[in-house]
Amino acid sequence: MTSGDGGYLIAPDPDAVRLTRAVRGVDHEGREQDIAVVEERPLTIYLNGQEIVTAMTIGDYPEYLALGFLRNQGMLRDGEAVTGVDYDDELEVVVVRTDRPTDHEEKLKKKTRTSGCAVGTVFGDMMEGLEGLRLPQAEVRTSWLYALADRINRTPSLYLTAGAIHGTVLCRQDRPLVYMEDVGRHNAVDKVAGWMLREGADPADKILYTTGRLTSEMVIKCAHMGIPVLASRSGFTAWGVEIAQQVGLTLIGRMRGRRFMCLAGEDRLVRDADAAGPDEDRRHQRKGRDLSEEKT
């Protein structure tokens, strides 16, 4: 949904139709009750006349997901003209069209399954395009990080309604702009990337906040998007840290209240707020712990 409160440009809509369904079960005391569970549905992405991938997704913002996926896999080049993005709701297909012929048959033969989210794949050479890449110089103030975490944690979301979901938020300074959710954290990042591509958003002054683990794939996607800061409530992988150090990306994880760890790009940090402020309340601590344990 588009936010009308002067805050988010796009925010989660937990009440949107087709994103969840009510399922009756029994609790630990044997009592029947209905709970909301997240829907999964396939989305097949075509680039011109070629089928690229079928991803399992919650089904919102399919055009952004398709554009972002193709951009983050290097199948849409910088400056390439996209002439059309067509979504068929009945067939659950998105066709992205460009002004030049494309053939990614060889690239599609090589694919690496990503860590964590079983539906995610990274095609071809994962490090392709990172050699020599240096991200924009920028600063990230600790006051911004504290404000973002507080605002995002309190935003109504599909996770708070049904769980089993990941979130990614595009931010500028202390303002969250675009908040996307999906069953796979890679899908949520791709939706943000698709929005940025469609809107021509400048990545140089942005922060990418994710609820998922800071793995190599997440760092690579953030770097290819040109965003200099990646932050998460969750933890790190060693390869993710190494790549962040290589490309000069500021990598911040384990954010809890006013505590965090920065394992790369510490030179961008400006400590302008008291780190001894109040911790998160128990509800948000529980949310962070659950999210870090999500495996889908």
Side-chain angles (χ1 to χ4, degrees):
M1 66 177 289
T2 300
S3 175
D5 63 0
Y8 289 98
L9 301 177
I10 297 178
D13 184 0
D15 298 323
V17 297
R18 299 184 67 207
L19 297 186
T20 64
R21 77 168 77 165
V23 176
R24 175 154 295 186
V26 294
D27 67 11
H28 56 286
E29 295 182 341
R31 295 174 299 189
E32 286 193 353
Q33 58 179 296
D34 292 335
I35 67 167
V37 298
V38 173
E39 291 276 16
E40 285 185 275
R41 49 178 47 88
L43 178 70
T44 301
I45 299 172
Y46 282 79
L47 179 57
N48 296 316
Q50 185 174 16
E51 181 178 340
I52 302 299
V53 71
T54 296
M56 297 306 296
T57 175
I58 61 175
D60 66 343
Y61 303 106
E63 295 93 341
Y64 289 149
L65 176 56
L67 283 172
F69 177 85
L70 295 172
R71 176 66 179 84
N72 282 335
Q73 302 303 330
M75 296 181 181
L76 290 177
R77 301 171 182 170
D78 289 338
E80 184 166 9
V82 174
T83 58
V85 182
D86 300 310
Y87 172 59
D88 189 305
D89 182 59
E90 289 189 12
L91 297 178
E92 297 183 310
V93 167
V94 176
V95 180
V96 177
R97 295 184 175 84
T98 65
D99 62 350
R100 67 173 181 87
T102 52
D103 183 2
H104 294 288
E105 183 176 350
E106 289 302 315
K107 197 175 186 72
L108 291 171
K109 288 180 181 178
K110 298 190 299 178
K111 58 184 178 182
T112 303
R113 187 169 298 278
T114 64
S115 60
C117 298
V119 297
T121 54
V122 175
F123 291 108
D125 300 319
M126 292 174 60
M127 303 294 288
E128 183 180 348
L130 290 186
E131 185 176 353
L133 174 66
R134 298 300 297 178
L135 292 169
Q137 291 298 317
E139 70 175 21
V140 53
R141 296 181 174 270
T142 55
S143 61
W144 300 347
L145 295 175
Y146 302 152
L148 288 171
D150 182 71
R151 174 77 184 278
I152 292 167
N153 289 341
R154 297 176 187 278
T155 298
S157 65
L158 197 56
Y159 174 78
L160 291 177
T161 299
I165 206 85
H166 286 284
T168 297
V169 190
L170 182 69
C171 312
R172 181 178 181 274
Q173 297 183 357
D174 61 352
R175 180 188 174 192
L177 301 174
V178 175
Y179 188 159
M180 296 292 191
E181 293 183 292
D182 214 300
V183 288
R185 63 186 183 275
H186 299 279
N187 287 348
V189 175
D190 287 340
K191 289 176 185 177
V192 171
W195 180 87
M196 293 179 68
L197 181 61
R198 178 66 69 87
E199 299 297 323
D202 182 6
D205 61 350
K206 301 300 189 294
I207 299 168
L208 196 66
Y209 179 100
T210 176
T211 61
R213 298 175 295 281
L214 297 172
T215 64
S216 57
E217 301 93 350
M218 297 295 286
V219 171
I220 288 170
K221 287 196 174 192
C222 188
H224 280 311
M225 291 161 69
I227 297 174
V229 181
L230 176 61
S232 175
R233 300 180 56 84
S234 191
F236 312 83
T237 67
W239 196 16
V241 173
E242 290 177 14
I243 296 171
Q245 293 171 342
Q246 173 186 323
V247 301
L249 183 143
T250 297
L251 194 65
I252 298 168
R254 299 183 180 178
M255 293 178 61
R256 295 290 189 277
R258 297 202 166 197
R259 294 175 294 164
F260 63 82
M261 287 295 300
C262 179
L263 297 190
E266 193 267 346
D267 57 298
R268 286 196 180 90
L269 277 175
V270 177
R271 292 177 173 82
D272 67 332
D274 184 1
D279 284 337
E280 296 173 323
D281 63 38
R282 294 183 62 186
R283 177 170 178 254
H284 294 141
Q285 289 174 359
R286 184 166 60 251
K287 174 185 176 184
R289 183 167 60 251
D290 291 346
L291 281 170
S292 69
E293 294 169 356
E294 289 284 356
K295 301 299 183 184
T296 57

